[in-house]
Amino acid sequence: MAKHSDDVRDGFTSKFGIICAAAGSAIGLGNIWRFPYVVGDSGGGAFLLIYLGFIVLLGIPVMLSEFIIGRRGQRNAFGSFKRLAPGKPWYLVGVMGIVAAFMILAFYSTIAGWTLHYVIQSFANTFAGKTSTEITRIFEDFHTQAFLPLLWQIIFLAMTAWIIFSGVKKGIEKYTKVLMPFLVLLLIIMAIRSVTLEGSYEGVLFLFKPDFSAVDSGVLLAALGQAFFSLSIGMGALITYGSYIGKQNNLGNIAVEVSLADTLIAILAGVAIFPAVFAFGLDPAEGPGLIFTVLPNIFHQMPGGYFFSIIFFVLLAIAALTSSISILEVVVAYLTEELNLTRHKATFMAVIAAAFVGIFCTLSFGTLKNITISELGIFGLLDFTASNLLLPLGGLLIVVFVGWYMKKKDVKEEVSNRGTLKVRFFDVLRFILKFIAPVAIAIVLFDSLGIIDRLTG
Ligand code: PHE
């Protein structure tokens, strides 16, 4: 049993460092695809401010807590809880994380598949000379059909599985280190192009001028879910990674740096998208297709746009891969430890099962469009349940575990590397973990579910 988990542990850290792995997990479609569309759906500026508040007040403490649990437990999400709280039901937090990982992988691979398709379309120069209406129509035709989106989804899942079991992740990470700064550079260039388009100012206002009149409990929950999704927290991915972190590393620093990088990239994506949305007269609230209808328009208006477009979608697909492997890893680590499966078998089973659910997600944009529950299709339902319910609930239990269950001395030992680091922020951290974070997450979560109303009403 231990052998499997040690296999899992080796790959990431030894050579390329935990920051790289954790940032690779955090930075992905969540920043560039999901963030802009959720901001658009949720009304812009006010959402952004709330989101930033949640990142600082809740996101960083939850991330740090996951690292603490993982490094102290020296196991994956499930095993770490079992070790730190033997005989107690805390391991169920790990089980919940596995369920969430599974759901996220299913819908994540739909969008990653679209990204792969857009790599090919960029090569083929499909969007050259097209108006923004035509670009939108091309996207509509593509994502509502069955065959191509499914094909790309399966290809993406196969790539994820292949990396997980062949150990190529080392190679991938080596490249990621060089490639991700490129992605940032490209986003900066695109952002500059976007804000200099005619008619873009309204988009800048949309993103940065808060209008709190539209904020309701649904918007708060969307911001919380987006913060957790983007930081890869609440389901134990970073507990697993935390167990790879060396005893000499500063957990607090890592949490802050990864969160900062993740947030900057999301904002950059927002600055690239919204000015262009308004310049081209598109709808900011159009949903999950937003970047696929907006970005080709931007590339159009850029010198060298043909190449930019290819490079961008390739980099986005790679960013998606470094995130999806961290999601699959949660499931695989569980299967190898709990059911004693070999790594190959576990990966194979997990990815087949994710593909099965994923197929329904992909088809829910076309063939299965009519299957809905309270206005959400299959895709939306899985995304909502995993990102907005399971991740916050997981995060809540994680901070309660570190704030209330673990001994203060043990937590301090982990954060301060056995007293070798000065942690002046420790009392603040402890206060946040004990009171602020659990209360805030609980209020947002339960309020939006109507539970508070029911209790007080
Ligand atoms: N944070 C990743 C992204 O932004 C997605 C993810 C969610 C990864 C949850 C792991 C856990 O794309």
Side-chain angles (χ1 to χ4, degrees):
M1 205 163 108
K3 188 172 166 291
H4 289 311
S5 60
D6 287 346
D7 286 349
V8 177
R9 230 179 251 34
D10 276 353
F12 281 126
T13 42
S14 45
K15 280 193 176 162
F16 305 107
I18 187 66
I19 295 253
C20 197
S25 169
I27 298 163
L29 294 174
N31 309 60
I32 293 162
W33 155 73
R34 200 176 188 279
F35 176 77
Y37 109 69
V38 178
V39 173
D41 270 349
S42 308
F47 176 93
L48 178 63
L49 274 185
I50 297 165
Y51 173 79
L52 293 178
F54 283 171
I55 292 279
V56 174
L57 210 64
L58 311 175
I60 296 175
V62 174
M63 188 183 284
L64 180 52
S65 298
E66 289 206 22
F67 288 154
I68 291 171
I69 295 170
R71 192 167 73 173
R72 192 124 194 122
Q74 288 295 304
R75 283 277 180 281
N76 66 81
F78 179 91
S80 287
F81 278 110
K82 269 219 145 148
R83 245 197 187 178
L84 297 181
K88 299 265 161 39
W90 282 102
Y91 65 87
L92 290 174
V93 181
V95 174
M96 209 173 75
I98 290 149
V99 175
F102 193 65
M103 295 168 98
I104 292 176
L105 197 57
F107 74 79
Y108 204 81
S109 55
T110 299
I111 308 299
W114 295 357
T115 307
L116 290 177
H117 177 75
Y118 270 60
V119 171
I120 304 298
Q121 297 315 303
S122 302
F123 267 113
N125 216 1
T126 304
F127 303 109
K130 300 280 194 303
T131 63
S132 94
T133 320
E134 286 167 324
I135 288 172
T136 303
R137 185 157 343 113
I138 292 173
F139 173 72
E140 281 302 317
D141 288 345
F142 160 68
H143 89 298
T144 52
Q145 59 169 295
F147 180 70
L148 268 182
L150 283 180
L151 180 71
W152 286 118
Q153 174 176 42
I154 302 299
I155 291 175
F156 180 81
L157 282 172
M159 286 161 82
T160 307
W162 181 65
I163 293 168
I164 285 283
F165 67 50
S166 66
V168 185
K169 58 190 172 190
K170 287 184 186 165
I172 291 276
E173 287 204 10
K174 187 161 76 185
Y175 294 115
T176 331
K177 235 182 186 167
V178 189
L179 292 177
M180 286 308 108
F182 261 117
L183 181 65
V184 175
L185 187 71
L186 221 62
L187 276 172
I188 293 176
I189 298 173
M190 287 156 66
I192 293 173
R193 175 68 276 210
S194 186
V195 294
T196 50
L197 288 167
E198 203 175 317
S200 65
Y201 188 60
E202 222 182 308
V204 178
L205 287 183
F206 179 82
L207 185 60
F208 291 115
K209 194 167 165 232
D211 167 14
F212 284 95
S213 65
V215 174
D216 58 16
S217 62
V219 170
L220 290 180
L221 185 68
L224 189 68
Q226 175 58 27
F228 279 44
F229 184 90
S230 191
L231 293 179
S232 300
I233 54 178
M235 63 172 229
L238 298 185
I239 292 180
T240 318
Y241 283 17
S243 70
Y244 310 150
I245 302 180
K247 289 288 169 206
Q248 73 292 351
N249 290 319
N250 185 333
L251 298 183
N253 276 357
I254 299 174
V256 170
E257 279 163 29
V258 170
S259 303
L260 196 69
D262 187 72
T263 306
L264 285 178
I265 293 187
I267 295 177
L268 214 47
V271 178
I273 299 283
F274 287 106
V277 167
F278 284 83
F280 295 112
L282 296 161
D283 175 12
E286 80 152 66
L290 187 64
I291 65 164
F292 297 95
T293 56
V294 177
L295 293 178
N297 285 303
I298 303 181
F299 292 126
H300 251 263
Q301 308 276 334
M302 279 165 69
Y306 174 73
F307 296 103
F308 276 120
S309 173
I310 297 173
I311 299 168
F312 176 82
F313 283 111
V314 168
L315 292 177
L316 184 56
I318 292 172
L321 260 178
T322 60
S323 299
S324 66
I325 53 181
S326 78
I327 305 170
L328 184 59
E329 184 71 31
V330 172
V331 184
V332 168
Y334 167 77
L335 290 177
T336 49
E337 284 214 356
E338 268 321 280
L339 307 181
N340 257 334
L341 297 183
T342 63
R343 210 168 154 70
H344 276 66
K345 248 198 200 135
T347 309
F348 191 69
M349 281 177 55
V351 89
I352 293 286
F356 181 75
V357 185
I359 286 171
F360 291 94
C361 290
T362 299
L363 292 180
S364 73
F365 288 98
T367 323
L368 304 178
K369 197 165 70 215
N370 294 329
I371 303 179
T372 57
I373 299 179
S374 50
E375 285 179 46
L376 289 174
I378 299 169
F379 179 96
L381 205 64
L382 276 182
D383 185 359
F384 182 86
T385 310
S387 316
N388 291 6
L389 302 182
L390 293 180
L391 296 187
L393 189 59
L396 173 63
L397 294 168
I398 284 166
V399 287
V400 169
F401 185 78
V402 176
W404 293 92
Y405 183 84
M406 282 180 76
K407 290 200 190 77
K408 180 175 175 183
K409 171 180 116 328
D410 292 353
V411 176
K412 188 152 189 181
E413 216 174 272
E414 251 351 283
V415 196
S416 69
N417 294 352
R418 299 182 182 277
T420 55
L421 300 172
K422 270 217 186 70
V423 278
R424 260 169 276 132
F425 62 87
F426 188 74
D427 289 327
V428 180
L429 175 71
R430 188 143 170 93
F431 185 74
I432 294 181
L433 290 180
K434 263 182 125 70
F435 303 104
I436 305 211
V439 171
I441 299 173
I443 290 181
V444 174
L445 192 57
F446 298 139
D447 185 35
S448 65
L449 298 179
I451 292 176
I452 293 178
D453 274 355
R454 228 168 290 156
L455 289 179
T456 55

